[in-house]
Amino acid sequence: MAEPGRGPSAELQQLVAAADSGARAATGFAGKLVFALALAWSLFQLWYASPLPFVLGWGVLNDTEARSLHLGIALLLGFLCYPMLRRQSARIPAFDWVLGLAGALAGGYFLLSYAELATRPGRPILQDIVVASAGLALLLEATRRAVGLPMTLLAIAFIAYIMLGQHLPDVIAHKGASWDRMLSHQWLTTEGVYGVALGVSVGYIFIFVLFGTLLDRAGAGNYMMQVSFAMLGHLRGGPAKVAVVSSALNGLISGSSVSNVVSGGIFTIPLMTKAGYGGVKAGAIETASSVNGQIMPPVMGAAAFLMVEYVGIPYTDVVRHAFLPALISYIALFYIVHLEALKLGLAPTAQARSRTLPQTLVAWGLGVSGTIAVCGAIYLVAEGAKQLFGGAAPWVLGVLLAGLYLYAVYVAASCPDLPADIDVDNPVLPDTWPTVKAGLHFLIPIGVLIWCLMIEEFSPSLSAFWASASLMSLMVTQRPLTALFRGQGALGSQAVRGLKDIVRGLDDGARNMIGIAIATGTAGIIVGGITLTGLGLRMTDFVEVVSQGNVFAMLLFTAFVCLVLGLGVPTTANYILVATLMAPVIVELGAQSGLVIPLIAVHLFVFYYGIMGDITPPVGLASFAAAAISGEDPIATGIQGSLYALRTVVLPFVFVFNPMLLLIDVRGGFEILLVACAAIVASLAFAAATLGWFRARCKWWEIVLLLAGTFALFRPDFFMDRIYAPYAEVPAKTIFEVARELPQNERLVLVIAGTNIEGDDVRKTVAVQLAKPGEGRQRLADAGLTVSAVGTDVQVSAVRFGSRAKKSGFEQGFKVVAIKVPIDRPSEHWVYLPALALIALVWFLQRARVPPAPQRAPIGT
């Protein structure tokens, strides 16, 4: 167990290293060389994400060349940082140097021989076969070391499936492939190892991981912890609420479950234990809150960046769709720890400030309104500068941002420095506002990231580059400026400390990416096996047989597959495999059942269940990390964490059937607010039902009423659709008129029929989102859909590859049977009223059974 308040123990550091950055800490010349390689890798990724190659006209790499260099460096560092056996010493044996150099050459073969390979596509020579064979073997060994044996065995199984297809049962049989063809597909094209997953790793994931690492090195992680403690430490169950909020804030910048558990849990778990939660529940709360950091925008887990390619929408849309479910999940967890405090009769652990309720409300009101006002003022000033100064606006905004930063550091310098940790034995509740002011400048790089993503609509990589550039400027200058404003000296040495933090952050970021880069390369083997053998088409028949065409059964099967794979496969690889195999199947079979399921909903479903592998026993790494801090049984911690995670587990089923939670088909700000409030109340009622405690211990029939209210709030359409049909069918010939009249970002719902690739007659309901307003035919074309109308007959003439229409299930040659348009019916939101009445009834019935509040007492007494 870690010593409270003294930082992670050697055991915890080893666990984090084994999970995130490499278990071998080389020393001496070898350690310096590994450090230099990691630093060079981070600098290359910054260069690749920046506009500099195009501005200078030098060092421009295409996607394939960048993927090759990315994998080559990852393989080299993988063999140097991850030992063959866990018990090996820090010394790097010569054998690993040989394997690392061979892996670098094999991984970089595309870069080194790009021109020659382009002249012989599909016709590999002996040199190509030798390099590809060696590269595949080295990648599998690096995967075993850095990711784990289960993923290695899964990749080997797919290679065997490619080679032995003709000898397998008819349901999964295929004609097989030669060794040369398999290697060519997997290593010498962009269909296998160098496919989409590796491209997302080099293009998006690395720069975001680097940004989060640098932000933590700058001190933002500790700042968020201290602010959470200052705001919430005096409440009942305060340490648990601090864990939830600080993990949510850390989730803004980090996508690693294990490191989130360790960085925050080293303080919050001992605090929760002393407060009365017990070690198992304390570890489970920290695990549940830390794992959910992967679903919290704007920097979600690595798999979220893959959705950009797989779903075909901008990352800003992924963030928009994912925001409300993530917010709901964290609010529900906050409520869960409050209910646990009520059940256990816990007293507040730190002395509250002497404020009356009106004073507290005024303070919070001023804080919230002031934050909104400042954000609004910044937006108006920035937009005004763009309008006034045109092309010179970036320079003007840069000067204004620098001025804002100087003022924020000046304010921070007037406040005491934040403590490096929290004294878990005798916690002292700091004043909220001075604590907030002491690190406001940390919010500037996060603001730059959000501004570039959401307002300027830059690419994710370019947005993260500018955010990282502003962050590195902050890291160099924050200490010298603070010393200057305080009238202290040694400005140069303070700047040097900042530079050292940047270098260490670049090293940490690269090390954290080794396992992810190798995992995405190995996931390409699996995806390549699916595309080469046509397994994806066979999965449709298989899942249809298993589920008997029932969409809910399909989702249960998919969730089960995700959880099983999560026992040994990391989140990113889990997502790639299940999304490639199952997401198109769910959308297709749902369409054939007359149910329109947005593709983003299915991918988020897979993503959510993929991250559950970090909690669920017997392998959940986040649970093991929390148990190492608490000293409790990791299996018991994982089981308790899984109970707390139920509020996250249920959300994917909800937003698949009710896409409003993803802000799809929601019109106007009022409806967004209505849906959000209803979903939050539903999640709170569900949390109370699963814990069996609302205002007091729940009777069985009260749990039933709470669950009924939860269902009605989450699925009001379920009841309204049984009273009024949601759509009316209009003739297909009106397709262009309907497309023209649809509001922006509304979905056009069509019934199409035709013969699929396997010769079966199919009738299905599909939908495609139409973007900016305009002429109907053009809006369809922008979505990737070309239709021809002759009299009353309308046919799908073409579906652009990779378009929204293609990924939504449209097929060329199919006939448009009808168009479904929403009918004028009472709003489904009226169902909220009886649902709220059920929850209010339970609240009223429990009023006489509310236990008395315990006396407030500091934790040290």
Side-chain angles (χ1 to χ4, degrees):
M1 179 176 173
E3 186 179 355
R6 296 291 185 266
S9 65
E11 176 190 0
L12 282 172
Q13 292 173 345
Q14 181 71 9
L15 179 61
V16 175
D20 289 340
S21 60
R24 177 191 281 149
T27 57
F29 175 76
K32 293 177 181 178
L33 184 57
V34 170
F35 176 81
L37 287 170
L39 189 63
W41 194 16
S42 289
L43 291 174
F44 158 70
Q45 292 291 161
L46 283 169
W47 172 267
Y48 183 70
S50 76
L52 292 176
F54 301 97
V55 172
L56 301 176
W58 179 84
V60 179
L61 297 178
N62 63 35
D63 289 344
T64 307
E65 292 171 325
R67 295 174 191 182
S68 179
L69 181 58
H70 185 75
L71 181 63
I73 298 175
L75 288 174
L76 175 57
L77 287 173
F79 284 109
L80 298 182
C81 294
Y82 289 87
M84 178 179 290
L85 301 174
R86 295 294 186 192
R87 63 176 180 270
Q88 286 185 339
S89 67
R91 187 183 66 85
I92 303 176
F95 182 63
D96 281 353
W97 283 105
V98 172
L99 292 180
L101 292 172
L105 291 173
Y109 186 64
F110 239 128
L111 176 64
L112 299 173
S113 306
Y114 185 79
E116 292 80 359
L117 289 172
T119 63
R120 51 176 189 268
R123 295 180 288 111
I125 61 175
L126 179 61
Q127 175 181 298
D128 299 338
I129 298 302
V130 171
V131 172
S133 300
L136 208 58
L138 290 165
L139 177 58
L140 291 173
E141 168 58 13
T143 303
R144 184 194 66 80
R145 296 185 182 200
V147 184
L149 185 60
M151 187 170 183
T152 308
L153 295 177
L154 188 61
I156 292 173
F158 269 85
I159 293 173
Y161 177 66
I162 295 172
M163 304 301 299
L164 305 175
Q166 67 270 34
H167 304 297
L168 298 173
D170 289 344
V171 67
I172 57 172
H174 62 94
K175 64 180 181 179
S178 67
W179 182 254
D180 289 4
R181 186 182 178 213
M182 186 275 292
L183 288 175
S184 179
H185 187 83
Q186 294 284 17
W187 203 266
L188 303 175
T189 70
T190 56
E191 297 294 325
V193 172
Y194 296 97
V196 169
L198 191 63
V200 172
S201 179
V202 66
Y204 300 151
I205 299 175
F206 195 113
I207 190 67
F208 274 87
V209 169
L210 186 61
F211 173 71
T213 305
L214 289 170
L215 198 53
D216 189 57
R217 275 283 179 184
N222 180 56
Y223 169 68
M224 292 171 180
M225 172 70 74
Q226 297 293 341
V227 169
S228 302
F229 185 63
M231 295 174 64
L232 305 168
H234 63 286
L235 302 176
R236 295 180 70 174
K241 292 170 181 175
V242 170
V244 173
V245 174
S246 62
S247 293
L249 294 174
N250 274 325
L252 296 173
I253 60 175
S254 172
S256 171
S257 302
V258 178
S259 62
N260 279 358
V261 167
V262 173
S263 62
I266 196 67
F267 305 115
T268 60
I269 290 176
L271 277 172
M272 284 187 277
T273 303
K274 289 178 178 292
Y277 279 98
V280 170
K281 288 186 177 180
I285 290 168
E286 180 60 47
T287 299
S289 56
S290 295
V291 167
N292 269 30
Q294 293 193 58
I295 65 175
M296 176 58 72
V299 183
M300 301 165 66
F305 297 99
L306 291 159
M307 291 184 205
V308 175
E309 301 296 329
Y310 286 156
V311 183
I313 60 177
Y315 184 68
T316 50
D317 285 354
V318 174
V319 168
R320 178 169 60 87
H321 293 312
F323 178 74
L324 182 56
L327 180 65
I328 291 169
S329 183
Y330 266 112
I331 291 176
L333 183 58
F334 189 91
Y335 186 58
I336 283 172
V337 302
H338 177 70
L339 293 178
E340 286 283 18
L342 295 179
K343 287 176 65 176
L344 296 170
L346 302 184
T349 57
Q351 189 65 38
R353 303 175 188 89
S354 56
R355 280 181 183 170
T356 63
L357 178 61
Q359 289 175 329
T360 301
L361 292 176
V362 168
W364 275 94
L366 290 174
V368 172
S369 60
T371 301
I372 295 174
V374 169
C375 292
I378 291 173
Y379 176 79
L380 291 174
V381 169
E383 287 297 314
K386 289 164 64 176
Q387 296 292 328
L388 290 173
F389 299 102
W395 298 101
V396 175
L397 290 175
V399 172
L400 293 175
L401 185 65
L404 179 63
Y405 167 64
L406 288 173
Y407 178 73
V409 176
Y410 173 77
V411 170
S414 66
C415 303
D417 288 333
L418 296 175
D421 53 32
I422 297 172
D423 187 346
V424 299
D425 294 316
N426 297 289
V428 178
L429 192 67
D431 290 331
T432 302
W433 183 230
T435 304
V436 171
K437 291 193 297 182
L440 282 174
H441 54 289
F442 291 129
L443 302 181
I444 290 178
I446 300 175
V448 170
L449 175 64
I450 296 173
W451 179 274
C452 292
L453 274 174
M454 301 297 185
I455 308 300
E456 300 297 337
E457 296 185 350
F458 291 164
S459 69
S461 58
L462 185 58
S463 300
F465 167 77
W466 287 119
S468 299
S470 65
L471 175 57
M472 287 187 283
S473 300
L474 177 151
M475 294 173 74
V476 173
T477 59
Q478 63 172 336
R479 289 192 182 95
L481 287 174
T482 301
L484 178 65
F485 291 137
R486 290 176 176 174
Q488 301 169 345
L491 303 186
S493 62
Q494 298 287 0
V496 170
R497 284 183 61 191
L499 288 172
K500 289 180 178 179
D501 283 342
I502 292 175
V503 172
R504 293 191 191 100
L506 294 174
D507 175 58
D508 290 343
R511 287 175 179 269
N512 289 339
M513 272 301 301
I514 297 171
I516 296 175
I518 291 173
T520 53
T522 308
I525 296 176
I526 298 168
V527 175
I530 294 170
T531 57
L532 183 59
T533 61
L535 179 62
L537 296 175
R538 293 175 178 83
M539 281 300 295
T540 304
D541 294 333
F542 175 73
V543 174
E544 188 171 19
V545 170
V546 171
S547 65
Q548 294 297 303
N550 183 280
V551 175
F552 189 77
M554 278 189 289
L555 293 173
L556 284 176
F557 178 74
T558 304
F560 176 75
V561 170
C562 288
L563 292 175
V564 171
L565 285 175
L567 297 178
V569 175
T571 301
T572 304
N574 191 341
Y575 168 78
I576 293 169
L577 175 59
V578 182
T580 303
L581 276 176
M582 300 296 298
V585 174
I586 294 172
V587 172
E588 176 66 21
L589 294 183
Q592 293 181 22
S593 303
L595 179 65
V596 178
I597 304 177
L599 187 59
I600 182 63
V602 180
H603 280 263
L604 283 172
F605 182 98
V606 173
F607 180 47
Y608 269 55
Y609 274 92
I611 68 173
M612 289 299 108
D614 284 341
I615 298 179
T616 51
V619 189
L621 289 179
S623 297
F624 273 80
I629 298 173
S630 66
E632 300 287 348
D633 178 33
I635 302 299
T637 302
I639 293 172
Q640 186 67 43
S642 299
L643 174 64
Y644 293 149
L646 285 177
R647 94 276 174 213
T648 303
V649 167
V650 75
L651 280 175
F653 284 93
V654 175
F655 59 60
V656 163
F657 291 101
N658 181 16
M660 282 188 171
L661 261 68
L662 303 180
L663 304 184
I664 296 174
D665 293 340
V666 179
R667 302 169 184 86
F670 177 74
E671 188 171 24
I672 291 175
L673 181 63
L674 195 62
V675 170
C677 291
I680 290 170
V681 173
S683 65
L684 300 184
F686 181 76
T690 53
L691 287 182
W693 190 283
F694 197 23
R695 299 178 73 184
R697 189 172 303 279
C698 295
K699 302 180 185 298
W700 70 267
W701 51 270
E702 291 175 331
I703 294 176
V704 172
L705 291 178
L706 288 174
L707 291 176
T710 298
F711 183 79
L713 289 171
F714 272 143
R715 289 290 315 280
D717 57 306
F718 177 84
F719 300 96
M720 191 60 69
D721 289 352
R722 277 147 184 79
I723 304 173
Y724 300 94
Y727 295 103
E729 293 189 356
V730 299
K733 64 180 181 180
T734 62
I735 185 170
F736 299 122
E737 290 82 356
V738 173
R740 184 184 67 244
E741 297 299 327
L742 277 178
Q744 184 172 346
N745 293 326
E746 285 288 312
R747 292 187 296 169
L748 175 66
V749 183
L750 305 177
V751 180
I752 61 176
T755 304
N756 64 15
I757 194 172
E758 296 176 334
D760 300 324
D761 291 332
V762 174
R763 179 187 175 101
K764 57 185 180 178
T765 304
V766 290
V768 64
Q769 190 177 54
L770 301 183
K772 58 184 180 181
E775 195 268 330
R777 190 184 296 271
Q778 183 59 47
R779 296 186 77 186
L780 293 174
D782 291 341
L785 189 63
T786 303
V787 298
S788 58
V790 180
T792 58
D793 291 335
V794 179
Q795 190 173 41
V796 178
S797 304
V799 184
R800 190 171 68 246
F801 179 77
S803 64
R804 293 194 300 272
K806 183 66 175 178
K807 293 176 178 179
S808 298
F810 284 86
E811 297 189 44
Q812 184 174 341
F814 272 49
K815 180 180 178 181
V816 179
V817 177
I819 306 170
K820 289 190 171 185
V821 296
I823 67 169
D824 186 15
R825 67 174 188 176
S827 172
E828 60 199 46
H829 302 311
W830 286 110
V831 177
Y832 294 157
L833 295 179
L836 292 172
L838 289 176
I839 298 171
L841 176 62
V842 177
W843 180 272
F844 177 77
L845 291 174
Q846 290 191 354
R847 72 191 187 284
R849 308 202 308 268
V850 178
Q855 293 298 313
R856 190 181 303 273
I859 196 170
T861 61

